[in-house]
Amino acid sequence: MICGERVMPAVGVRRLDATRPRAAPGRPRVARVFPAVSKLPEPRAVGVRAAAPPLAVAACALSFTLCLLAQVALDIPLGDLDVYRAEGWAARTGAEIYDLAVTAHELPATYPPFAALLFVPLTLLSVDAIRIAVCLLNLGLVIALARLSLRLVGRHAVECRPIAWERGTPLIVAALAVWCEPIWATIRYGQINLLLVVLLLWDLTRRPDHRWAGIATGVAVGIKLTPGLFAVLLTVAGALLAAGRLRRGERADNPHLRRATRAWAAFAGTVALAALVLPRDSWRYWTDIVLAGDRVGPAEASANQSLRGVLARALGTGDLPDWWLPVAVLVCCVGVAVAVAALLADERLPHAPAWAATSCAVTALLVSPVSWSHHWVWVIPVLVLLFTEADRRRGRAWWTGAWGAALLSCSYASWLLPHDETRPELNLPAVQQLVAAAYPLAGAALLATTGALALRAWRPGRRADRCRS
């Protein structure tokens, strides 16, 4: 091996430069080294390794089939899909989008008007055809989510060797992921969560110098405002990095700042397009609906796994006092600070982009007025990260945390709590309060862990961690 290249003597990798004068007697002759012109063929996989991808395909197909059969047996409602289709129909026909009351639960439209434009194709097919198509699309997005989650933790420091994920690993992860409660519920309701997280992860795992990096983040913000915290993360990280470079007399331009600029520009483009096509609905949304937190459902609902939901159940009221908003702002600032510290730690913190992305996502879920349990589809990147770290560190505490998070995501805990129109969540005993706050407590633990790792990485004299081979 020479300079990381495989050397093949038969093709003249090493030769003397005849144009240079001969070395003086007694001095060693210097040879010029040329990179290999070809690579040795990879050994052919045999046995279990060769059968791994087909077995993974079979396992994923079986798991997906069982998931769909179980959903059908439990009368899959796809209620949110009905809302999306109604929004698309209103945008297509010129009706008032934000006056809709869809299904027996009278669900309103809550997303920006740009989302309604994207929902127009849902009106072009029959209801049954759209339901089948969306179920299949969500299953495909589960595979994409698994693959991108693995890619996110595979982005090691420049001095570390990338993890050689087997081709069948994403399918195995996807086969298991459909049984996690957030994924199951997203498929059950026909939600858009999987599309949003795939857009964000696809953007975050692209090359930093890619000219389109950041665009998908801006589009995700245009569909739903919660991903906007990722644009904030990139902006703050880019600004801090730029300030440090300016102090050293260098150019302020950096990949984070470029990504943030493209993300905000793409978001502005979605707003402008919606304002051009749907001016009335755009004006109403940005001047009224965007601040109406009561449209998305009761804060005290047991399925609301946000800070606001925890406080509402703890205080026994859906009308929270005014001090809850400063608390949410404080949590948001702390979460963004943790994510920025992890992102800028770079090679000093293994899997820094993954820690930053998951921390930012958890922060957005905590501070959102309502984060239904199916919004926590970020559990898949979190689990991939935790199991990867547990395997790298070989610590009992890490394995306990990873398996605990996995069991929690498959526990369907919030579904076991009393919930009906009489709002029994306002009078839950202490044990049920803890069960109802399971996801927020786990999210807080993730932020604490990320913060501790980031602080350790930023200690003076800290060197870049080497990945275990």
mmCIF file of all heavy atoms in Angstrom, residues 239-279:
data_model
loop_
_atom_site.group_PDB
_atom_site.id
_atom_site.type_symbol
_atom_site.label_atom_id
_atom_site.label_comp_id
_atom_site.label_asym_id
_atom_site.label_seq_id
_atom_site.Cartn_x
_atom_site.Cartn_y
_atom_site.Cartn_z
ATOM 1 N N ALA A 239 -23.098 31.127 10.868
ATOM 2 C CA ALA A 239 -22.689 32.450 11.335
ATOM 3 C C ALA A 239 -21.515 32.351 12.308
ATOM 4 O O ALA A 239 -20.565 33.150 12.246
ATOM 5 C CB ALA A 239 -23.876 33.144 12.005
ATOM 6 N N LEU A 240 -21.560 31.383 13.223
ATOM 7 C CA LEU A 240 -20.455 31.214 14.171
ATOM 8 C C LEU A 240 -19.169 30.816 13.449
ATOM 9 O O LEU A 240 -18.080 31.306 13.771
ATOM 10 C CB LEU A 240 -20.827 30.165 15.215
ATOM 11 C CG LEU A 240 -21.938 30.560 16.201
ATOM 12 C CD1 LEU A 240 -22.281 29.387 17.109
ATOM 13 C CD2 LEU A 240 -21.516 31.766 17.035
ATOM 14 N N LEU A 241 -19.303 29.926 12.478
ATOM 15 C CA LEU A 241 -18.128 29.506 11.727
ATOM 16 C C LEU A 241 -17.556 30.662 10.923
ATOM 17 O O LEU A 241 -16.333 30.841 10.831
ATOM 18 C CB LEU A 241 -18.502 28.350 10.805
ATOM 19 C CG LEU A 241 -17.361 27.524 10.205
ATOM 20 C CD1 LEU A 241 -16.494 26.937 11.302
ATOM 21 C CD2 LEU A 241 -17.927 26.422 9.322
ATOM 22 N N ALA A 242 -18.452 31.486 10.360
ATOM 23 C CA ALA A 242 -17.999 32.650 9.594
ATOM 24 C C ALA A 242 -17.287 33.660 10.489
ATOM 25 O O ALA A 242 -16.263 34.233 10.110
ATOM 26 C CB ALA A 242 -19.191 33.298 8.896
ATOM 27 N N ALA A 243 -17.825 33.872 11.697
ATOM 28 C CA ALA A 243 -17.191 34.815 12.622
ATOM 29 C C ALA A 243 -15.783 34.346 12.998
ATOM 30 O O ALA A 243 -14.840 35.153 13.069
ATOM 31 C CB ALA A 243 -18.052 34.971 13.877
ATOM 32 N N GLY A 244 -15.622 33.063 13.245
ATOM 33 C CA GLY A 244 -14.303 32.541 13.571
ATOM 34 C C GLY A 244 -13.329 32.692 12.424
ATOM 35 O O GLY A 244 -12.143 33.015 12.624
ATOM 36 N N ARG A 245 -13.792 32.480 11.217
ATOM 37 C CA ARG A 245 -12.907 32.628 10.061
ATOM 38 C C ARG A 245 -12.512 34.079 9.836
ATOM 39 O O ARG A 245 -11.374 34.365 9.458
ATOM 40 C CB ARG A 245 -13.588 32.060 8.818
ATOM 41 C CG ARG A 245 -13.740 30.544 8.842
ATOM 42 C CD ARG A 245 -14.295 30.008 7.538
ATOM 43 N NE ARG A 245 -14.265 28.549 7.511
ATOM 44 C CZ ARG A 245 -14.598 27.822 6.454
ATOM 45 N NH1 ARG A 245 -14.982 28.420 5.332
ATOM 46 N NH2 ARG A 245 -14.534 26.502 6.504
ATOM 47 N N LEU A 246 -13.447 34.993 10.051
ATOM 48 C CA LEU A 246 -13.119 36.406 9.879
ATOM 49 C C LEU A 246 -12.074 36.853 10.892
ATOM 50 O O LEU A 246 -11.193 37.665 10.575
ATOM 51 C CB LEU A 246 -14.391 37.253 10.014
ATOM 52 C CG LEU A 246 -15.377 37.173 8.841
ATOM 53 C CD1 LEU A 246 -16.640 37.954 9.158
ATOM 54 C CD2 LEU A 246 -14.731 37.700 7.558
ATOM 55 N N ARG A 247 -12.170 36.330 12.125
ATOM 56 C CA ARG A 247 -11.168 36.686 13.130
ATOM 57 C C ARG A 247 -9.778 36.200 12.729
ATOM 58 O O ARG A 247 -8.769 36.799 13.104
ATOM 59 C CB ARG A 247 -11.558 36.108 14.489
ATOM 60 C CG ARG A 247 -12.684 36.847 15.174
ATOM 61 C CD ARG A 247 -12.760 36.493 16.640
ATOM 62 N NE ARG A 247 -12.987 35.062 16.836
ATOM 63 C CZ ARG A 247 -14.179 34.497 16.957
ATOM 64 N NH1 ARG A 247 -15.268 35.262 16.889
ATOM 65 N NH2 ARG A 247 -14.301 33.200 17.148
ATOM 66 N N ARG A 248 -9.721 35.100 11.976
ATOM 67 C CA ARG A 248 -8.437 34.575 11.528
ATOM 68 C C ARG A 248 -8.005 35.162 10.192
ATOM 69 O O ARG A 248 -6.993 34.752 9.623
ATOM 70 C CB ARG A 248 -8.508 33.051 11.405
ATOM 71 C CG ARG A 248 -8.760 32.341 12.718
ATOM 72 C CD ARG A 248 -8.568 30.836 12.573
ATOM 73 N NE ARG A 248 -9.493 30.264 11.598
ATOM 74 C CZ ARG A 248 -10.694 29.770 11.915
ATOM 75 N NH1 ARG A 248 -11.108 29.822 13.184
ATOM 76 N NH2 ARG A 248 -11.471 29.249 10.988
ATOM 77 N N GLY A 249 -8.790 36.105 9.670
ATOM 78 C CA GLY A 249 -8.452 36.737 8.411
ATOM 79 C C GLY A 249 -8.798 35.902 7.196
ATOM 80 O O GLY A 249 -8.247 36.137 6.116
ATOM 81 N N GLU A 250 -9.701 34.943 7.346
ATOM 82 C CA GLU A 250 -10.092 34.080 6.248
ATOM 83 C C GLU A 250 -11.457 34.503 5.696
ATOM 84 O O GLU A 250 -12.139 35.356 6.260
ATOM 85 C CB GLU A 250 -10.158 32.622 6.724
ATOM 86 C CG GLU A 250 -8.850 32.101 7.301
ATOM 87 C CD GLU A 250 -9.009 30.718 7.900
ATOM 88 O OE1 GLU A 250 -10.146 30.195 7.880
ATOM 89 O OE2 GLU A 250 -8.021 30.166 8.405
ATOM 90 N N ARG A 251 -11.846 33.869 4.604
ATOM 91 C CA ARG A 251 -13.160 34.142 4.019
ATOM 92 C C ARG A 251 -14.265 33.619 4.920
ATOM 93 O O ARG A 251 -14.146 32.549 5.513
ATOM 94 C CB ARG A 251 -13.278 33.489 2.649
ATOM 95 C CG ARG A 251 -12.403 34.121 1.568
ATOM 96 C CD ARG A 251 -12.628 33.422 0.243
ATOM 97 N NE ARG A 251 -14.033 33.452 -0.136
ATOM 98 C CZ ARG A 251 -14.556 32.810 -1.178
ATOM 99 N NH1 ARG A 251 -13.759 32.059 -1.934
ATOM 100 N NH2 ARG A 251 -15.827 32.904 -1.459
ATOM 101 N N ALA A 252 -15.363 34.367 5.006
ATOM 102 C CA ALA A 252 -16.459 33.977 5.892
ATOM 103 C C ALA A 252 -17.310 32.862 5.308
ATOM 104 O O ALA A 252 -18.027 32.170 6.036
ATOM 105 C CB ALA A 252 -17.339 35.189 6.193
ATOM 106 N N ASP A 253 -17.243 32.663 4.005
ATOM 107 C CA ASP A 253 -18.085 31.663 3.349
ATOM 108 C C ASP A 253 -17.783 30.260 3.881
ATOM 109 O O ASP A 253 -16.622 29.896 4.090
ATOM 110 C CB ASP A 253 -17.847 31.702 1.843
ATOM 111 C CG ASP A 253 -18.785 30.767 1.097
ATOM 112 O OD1 ASP A 253 -19.988 30.774 1.398
ATOM 113 O OD2 ASP A 253 -18.294 30.010 0.232
ATOM 114 N N ASN A 254 -18.847 29.479 4.118
ATOM 115 C CA ASN A 254 -18.686 28.108 4.608
ATOM 116 C C ASN A 254 -19.914 27.292 4.210
ATOM 117 O O ASN A 254 -20.973 27.855 3.890
ATOM 118 C CB ASN A 254 -18.476 28.083 6.126
ATOM 119 C CG ASN A 254 -19.649 28.663 6.888
ATOM 120 O OD1 ASN A 254 -20.662 27.994 7.102
ATOM 121 N ND2 ASN A 254 -19.523 29.927 7.303
ATOM 122 N N PRO A 255 -19.809 25.951 4.216
ATOM 123 C CA PRO A 255 -20.921 25.103 3.748
ATOM 124 C C PRO A 255 -22.216 25.302 4.528
ATOM 125 O O PRO A 255 -23.297 25.284 3.937
ATOM 126 C CB PRO A 255 -20.377 23.681 3.932
ATOM 127 C CG PRO A 255 -18.891 23.832 3.884
ATOM 128 C CD PRO A 255 -18.610 25.157 4.510
ATOM 129 N N HIS A 256 -22.142 25.479 5.843
ATOM 130 C CA HIS A 256 -23.367 25.651 6.640
ATOM 131 C C HIS A 256 -24.105 26.920 6.232
ATOM 132 O O HIS A 256 -25.340 26.933 6.136
ATOM 133 C CB HIS A 256 -23.025 25.709 8.131
ATOM 134 C CG HIS A 256 -22.373 24.470 8.647
ATOM 135 N ND1 HIS A 256 -22.780 23.207 8.271
ATOM 136 C CD2 HIS A 256 -21.337 24.284 9.508
ATOM 137 C CE1 HIS A 256 -22.029 22.312 8.875
ATOM 138 N NE2 HIS A 256 -21.145 22.938 9.629
ATOM 139 N N LEU A 257 -23.348 27.981 6.023
ATOM 140 C CA LEU A 257 -23.977 29.248 5.637
ATOM 141 C C LEU A 257 -24.593 29.143 4.251
ATOM 142 O O LEU A 257 -25.687 29.693 4.002
ATOM 143 C CB LEU A 257 -22.921 30.359 5.674
ATOM 144 C CG LEU A 257 -23.416 31.781 5.989
ATOM 145 C CD1 LEU A 257 -24.223 31.800 7.272
ATOM 146 C CD2 LEU A 257 -22.227 32.726 6.093
ATOM 147 N N ARG A 258 -23.931 28.442 3.341
ATOM 148 C CA ARG A 258 -24.501 28.269 2.000
ATOM 149 C C ARG A 258 -25.771 27.430 2.052
ATOM 150 O O ARG A 258 -26.747 27.742 1.366
ATOM 151 C CB ARG A 258 -23.467 27.628 1.078
ATOM 152 C CG ARG A 258 -22.299 28.534 0.721
ATOM 153 C CD ARG A 258 -21.508 27.986 -0.456
ATOM 154 N NE ARG A 258 -20.874 26.714 -0.131
ATOM 155 C CZ ARG A 258 -19.666 26.610 0.373
ATOM 156 N NH1 ARG A 258 -18.947 27.688 0.649
ATOM 157 N NH2 ARG A 258 -19.134 25.411 0.626
ATOM 158 N N ARG A 259 -25.751 26.369 2.842
ATOM 159 C CA ARG A 259 -26.955 25.552 2.980
ATOM 160 C C ARG A 259 -28.108 26.366 3.548
ATOM 161 O O ARG A 259 -29.247 26.271 3.080
ATOM 162 C CB ARG A 259 -26.680 24.357 3.901
ATOM 163 C CG ARG A 259 -25.908 23.214 3.265
ATOM 164 C CD ARG A 259 -25.654 22.144 4.308
ATOM 165 N NE ARG A 259 -24.812 21.081 3.818
ATOM 166 C CZ ARG A 259 -25.240 19.856 3.542
ATOM 167 N NH1 ARG A 259 -26.507 19.567 3.705
ATOM 168 N NH2 ARG A 259 -24.404 18.936 3.114
ATOM 169 N N ALA A 260 -27.821 27.153 4.578
ATOM 170 C CA ALA A 260 -28.870 27.964 5.205
ATOM 171 C C ALA A 260 -29.441 28.979 4.218
ATOM 172 O O ALA A 260 -30.663 29.184 4.150
ATOM 173 C CB ALA A 260 -28.302 28.679 6.431
ATOM 174 N N THR A 261 -28.568 29.606 3.436
ATOM 175 C CA THR A 261 -29.033 30.589 2.456
ATOM 176 C C THR A 261 -29.964 29.944 1.431
ATOM 177 O O THR A 261 -31.027 30.497 1.107
ATOM 178 C CB THR A 261 -27.829 31.226 1.746
ATOM 179 O OG1 THR A 261 -26.971 31.842 2.717
ATOM 180 C CG2 THR A 261 -28.293 32.271 0.744
ATOM 181 N N ARG A 262 -29.583 28.773 0.940
ATOM 182 C CA ARG A 262 -30.429 28.083 -0.035
ATOM 183 C C ARG A 262 -31.745 27.632 0.608
ATOM 184 O O ARG A 262 -32.804 27.664 -0.036
ATOM 185 C CB ARG A 262 -29.689 26.893 -0.620
ATOM 186 C CG ARG A 262 -28.444 27.263 -1.417
ATOM 187 C CD ARG A 262 -27.890 26.051 -2.140
ATOM 188 N NE ARG A 262 -26.550 26.301 -2.670
ATOM 189 C CZ ARG A 262 -25.442 25.824 -2.144
ATOM 190 N NH1 ARG A 262 -25.513 25.054 -1.064
ATOM 191 N NH2 ARG A 262 -24.269 26.089 -2.678
ATOM 192 N N ALA A 263 -31.680 27.195 1.866
ATOM 193 C CA ALA A 263 -32.900 26.745 2.545
ATOM 194 C C ALA A 263 -33.896 27.900 2.698
ATOM 195 O O ALA A 263 -35.094 27.743 2.387
ATOM 196 C CB ALA A 263 -32.553 26.164 3.909
ATOM 197 N N TRP A 264 -33.415 29.039 3.163
ATOM 198 C CA TRP A 264 -34.327 30.184 3.320
ATOM 199 C C TRP A 264 -34.841 30.672 1.963
ATOM 200 O O TRP A 264 -35.999 31.081 1.840
ATOM 201 C CB TRP A 264 -33.613 31.314 4.061
ATOM 202 C CG TRP A 264 -33.339 31.039 5.507
ATOM 203 C CD1 TRP A 264 -32.136 30.987 6.120
ATOM 204 C CD2 TRP A 264 -34.311 30.765 6.521
ATOM 205 N NE1 TRP A 264 -32.266 30.699 7.452
ATOM 206 C CE2 TRP A 264 -33.594 30.563 7.736
ATOM 207 C CE3 TRP A 264 -35.700 30.664 6.547
ATOM 208 C CZ2 TRP A 264 -34.232 30.271 8.941
ATOM 209 C CZ3 TRP A 264 -36.340 30.372 7.749
ATOM 210 C CH2 TRP A 264 -35.611 30.181 8.930
ATOM 211 N N ALA A 265 -33.977 30.630 0.955
ATOM 212 C CA ALA A 265 -34.411 31.048 -0.381
ATOM 213 C C ALA A 265 -35.483 30.103 -0.929
ATOM 214 O O ALA A 265 -36.477 30.548 -1.528
ATOM 215 C CB ALA A 265 -33.217 31.104 -1.331
ATOM 216 N N ALA A 266 -35.290 28.801 -0.728
ATOM 217 C CA ALA A 266 -36.295 27.835 -1.193
ATOM 218 C C ALA A 266 -37.607 28.019 -0.445
ATOM 219 O O ALA A 266 -38.691 27.950 -1.047
ATOM 220 C CB ALA A 266 -35.771 26.407 -1.006
ATOM 221 N N PHE A 267 -37.530 28.264 0.853
ATOM 222 C CA PHE A 267 -38.753 28.511 1.626
ATOM 223 C C PHE A 267 -39.465 29.760 1.125
ATOM 224 O O PHE A 267 -40.694 29.763 0.944
ATOM 225 C CB PHE A 267 -38.407 28.658 3.108
ATOM 226 C CG PHE A 267 -39.542 29.154 3.954
ATOM 227 C CD1 PHE A 267 -40.730 28.444 4.049
ATOM 228 C CD2 PHE A 267 -39.436 30.349 4.659
ATOM 229 C CE1 PHE A 267 -41.782 28.899 4.819
ATOM 230 C CE2 PHE A 267 -40.484 30.814 5.431
ATOM 231 C CZ PHE A 267 -41.652 30.087 5.511
ATOM 232 N N ALA A 268 -38.704 30.812 0.883
ATOM 233 C CA ALA A 268 -39.309 32.034 0.342
ATOM 234 C C ALA A 268 -39.951 31.770 -1.013
ATOM 235 O O ALA A 268 -41.016 32.337 -1.335
ATOM 236 C CB ALA A 268 -38.257 33.135 0.226
ATOM 237 N N GLY A 269 -39.337 30.890 -1.795
ATOM 238 C CA GLY A 269 -39.935 30.534 -3.084
ATOM 239 C C GLY A 269 -41.266 29.831 -2.934
ATOM 240 O O GLY A 269 -42.205 30.080 -3.707
ATOM 241 N N THR A 270 -41.388 28.944 -1.936
ATOM 242 C CA THR A 270 -42.674 28.268 -1.716
ATOM 243 C C THR A 270 -43.751 29.257 -1.286
ATOM 244 O O THR A 270 -44.906 29.153 -1.709
ATOM 245 C CB THR A 270 -42.535 27.168 -0.650
ATOM 246 O OG1 THR A 270 -42.218 27.748 0.624
ATOM 247 C CG2 THR A 270 -41.456 26.172 -1.034
ATOM 248 N N VAL A 271 -43.361 30.215 -0.447
ATOM 249 C CA VAL A 271 -44.324 31.231 -0.001
ATOM 250 C C VAL A 271 -44.768 32.089 -1.182
ATOM 251 O O VAL A 271 -45.967 32.390 -1.344
ATOM 252 C CB VAL A 271 -43.705 32.112 1.106
ATOM 253 C CG1 VAL A 271 -44.653 33.260 1.474
ATOM 254 C CG2 VAL A 271 -43.397 31.275 2.347
ATOM 255 N N ALA A 272 -43.816 32.493 -2.032
ATOM 256 C CA ALA A 272 -44.144 33.332 -3.185
ATOM 257 C C ALA A 272 -45.032 32.590 -4.174
ATOM 258 O O ALA A 272 -45.998 33.159 -4.723
ATOM 259 C CB ALA A 272 -42.860 33.801 -3.860
ATOM 260 N N LEU A 273 -44.721 31.310 -4.419
ATOM 261 C CA LEU A 273 -45.535 30.536 -5.357
ATOM 262 C C LEU A 273 -46.961 30.387 -4.841
ATOM 263 O O LEU A 273 -47.930 30.562 -5.611
ATOM 264 C CB LEU A 273 -44.899 29.160 -5.562
ATOM 265 C CG LEU A 273 -45.672 28.195 -6.465
ATOM 266 C CD1 LEU A 273 -45.804 28.768 -7.868
ATOM 267 C CD2 LEU A 273 -44.999 26.826 -6.499
ATOM 268 N N ALA A 274 -47.110 30.077 -3.559
ATOM 269 C CA ALA A 274 -48.451 29.939 -2.999
ATOM 270 C C ALA A 274 -49.200 31.268 -3.018
ATOM 271 O O ALA A 274 -50.408 31.302 -3.279
ATOM 272 C CB ALA A 274 -48.357 29.399 -1.570
ATOM 273 N N ALA A 275 -48.483 32.365 -2.757
ATOM 274 C CA ALA A 275 -49.135 33.685 -2.785
ATOM 275 C C ALA A 275 -49.600 34.035 -4.195
ATOM 276 O O ALA A 275 -50.630 34.703 -4.382
ATOM 277 C CB ALA A 275 -48.167 34.741 -2.265
ATOM 278 N N LEU A 276 -48.851 33.584 -5.200
ATOM 279 C CA LEU A 276 -49.235 33.865 -6.584
ATOM 280 C C LEU A 276 -50.458 33.054 -7.004
ATOM 281 O O LEU A 276 -51.361 33.581 -7.680
ATOM 282 C CB LEU A 276 -48.048 33.550 -7.502
ATOM 283 C CG LEU A 276 -48.248 33.816 -8.993
ATOM 284 C CD1 LEU A 276 -48.438 35.307 -9.243
ATOM 285 C CD2 LEU A 276 -47.057 33.285 -9.800
ATOM 286 N N VAL A 277 -50.501 31.785 -6.596
ATOM 287 C CA VAL A 277 -51.587 30.905 -7.019
ATOM 288 C C VAL A 277 -52.787 31.007 -6.077
ATOM 289 O O VAL A 277 -53.946 30.963 -6.523
ATOM 290 C CB VAL A 277 -51.082 29.450 -7.095
ATOM 291 C CG1 VAL A 277 -52.198 28.515 -7.545
ATOM 292 C CG2 VAL A 277 -49.884 29.355 -8.037
ATOM 293 N N LEU A 278 -52.514 31.136 -4.778
ATOM 294 C CA LEU A 278 -53.587 31.178 -3.772
ATOM 295 C C LEU A 278 -53.433 32.436 -2.913
ATOM 296 O O LEU A 278 -53.112 32.365 -1.721
ATOM 297 C CB LEU A 278 -53.532 29.928 -2.883
ATOM 298 C CG LEU A 278 -53.635 28.578 -3.588
ATOM 299 C CD1 LEU A 278 -53.311 27.452 -2.609
ATOM 300 C CD2 LEU A 278 -55.029 28.384 -4.172
ATOM 301 N N PRO A 279 -53.642 33.608 -3.476
ATOM 302 C CA PRO A 279 -53.384 34.849 -2.711
ATOM 303 C C PRO A 279 -54.280 35.008 -1.490
ATOM 304 O O PRO A 279 -53.816 35.432 -0.429
ATOM 305 C CB PRO A 279 -53.635 35.948 -3.744
ATOM 306 C CG PRO A 279 -54.511 35.326 -4.789
ATOM 307 C CD PRO A 279 -54.126 33.895 -4.843
#
